[in-house]
Amino acid sequence: MEGNQGTDDERWNEFVSEFEKSGGIHGGGIHEPGAAERETPAKRPPRRKLGAVTAVVGAVAVVAGAGFWLGEGHGTRHETAAGAAGHAPSRKAAPAEPSTASMPMVTEDQAFPAHVGGYTKVMQTGGPNCTGAIGPNLAGMIRESKGCRGVIGALYRDASDNQYTIVAFGMKDRADVVRLVTLLSMNQTDHEVPVLTPPAGSGLKTLPADSGLVQAFAGQDALVVAGLAQWADGHADDYPALVDRLQPLMDKVRKVAGAHDRG
């Protein structure tokens, strides 16, 4: 990869290609739901204290380590800023991680521009505890990795007050980025990253648990980036349009964050 002087996306694609050749990714492709899947209502997963769970219908794509799907939210868990920063207690105490002084994490100010096109940042948060407020499956993946340097997140709004949460995990090993994004993308019914709750005075609604939700994961250098979007009134419909609104924001933020990260 040392000879590649192309764009960030080209370097990422090359990295994923090499990882695939080494056997790091198994399967992939696109899953289209059959008639029975489309006609059968999705069951609500049990609620958890940590993370966000939704019933999901739609298509999954695993392309260059990045997965995107449409989702119908039932039981979406909202987290406070402090909780999403990793300060909420977890079920099991995370083992102490080695010092990350030599591998600094991109800061919230560096990763999340105040304005991105028609999107405005409402709040941001971050902390060193990557497993404190997420779902247990993702927490387990991170504990099995070479380590996580920190997690940062931001809540954005658009002109219609739709809500967008972008979260970035800084991994110590780039191979873990491909592994985590691939595994997270393949599980359609398990949302492990919580949406951020709008702060008081923001003018945004705190949406109910049955609000519609779409989610996407992508890798950018040493970062695992998650994007979640909800309509302003929380209605569970028009998912392709919501995905179209999420994608430009997520793409911009992951590139800005990747450019400043030193992982």
Side-chain angles (χ1 to χ4, degrees):
M1 290 181 60
E2 295 179 357
N4 187 348
Q5 301 298 321
T7 65
D8 288 342
D9 287 340
E10 289 171 342
R11 292 197 298 272
W12 169 256
N13 290 337
E14 181 178 342
F15 172 71
V16 172
S17 177
E18 293 177 0
F19 189 82
E20 289 175 330
K21 291 177 182 177
S22 70
I25 295 178
H26 303 282
I30 297 176
H31 166 72
E32 292 291 346
E37 293 178 273
R38 290 192 295 267
E39 294 174 0
T40 303
K43 295 182 179 180
R44 289 190 181 186
R47 294 191 179 185
R48 296 192 299 265
K49 290 185 178 180
L50 299 178
V53 288
T54 62
V56 180
V57 293
V60 178
V62 179
V63 182
F68 307 95
W69 59 76
L70 308 182
E72 182 173 353
H74 298 288
T76 300
R77 175 75 177 184
H78 293 253
E79 296 290 340
T80 63
H87 302 301
S90 59
R91 290 192 180 97
K92 185 183 296 183
E97 293 186 356
S99 171
T100 58
S102 61
M103 301 176 67
M105 175 71 179
V106 58
T107 68
E108 302 96 297
D109 287 335
Q110 292 171 331
F112 306 119
H115 299 281
V116 180
Y119 310 87
T120 300
K121 183 169 61 178
V122 177
M123 60 166 287
Q124 62 186 31
T125 184
N129 186 358
C130 294
T131 59
I134 58 177
N137 291 336
L138 177 54
M141 294 179 204
I142 290 176
R143 292 190 181 108
E144 293 173 358
S145 72
K146 296 293 181 62
C148 180
R149 295 170 288 130
V151 58
I152 56 176
L155 176 64
Y156 283 85
R157 70 194 300 172
D158 62 18
S160 299
D161 287 342
N162 302 311
Q163 300 181 27
Y164 308 86
T165 295
I166 308 294
V167 178
F169 297 85
M171 307 308 296
K172 295 181 181 179
D173 189 325
R174 296 190 181 197
D176 284 326
V177 174
V178 178
R179 184 176 68 87
L180 263 66
V181 170
T182 302
L183 292 175
L184 289 166
S185 301
M186 292 174 66
N187 192 336
Q188 301 179 43
T189 60
D190 189 11
H191 286 208
E192 296 287 316
V193 180
V195 295
L196 290 172
T197 301
S202 67
L204 296 177
K205 295 180 180 179
T206 297
L207 298 174
D210 60 352
S211 297
L213 175 75
V214 297
Q215 174 171 313
F217 285 98
Q220 183 71 36
D221 300 321
L223 299 176
V224 172
V225 182
L228 304 97
Q230 296 173 291
W231 294 115
D233 61 0
H235 72 267
D237 202 352
D238 303 327
Y239 295 121
L242 192 55
V243 171
D244 288 343
R245 291 172 183 255
L246 170 63
Q247 208 60 62
L249 173 63
M250 185 175 175
D251 288 346
K252 177 64 175 180
V253 170
R254 70 176 176 82
K255 290 178 181 179
V256 170
H260 287 91
D261 191 50
R262 295 295 179 265

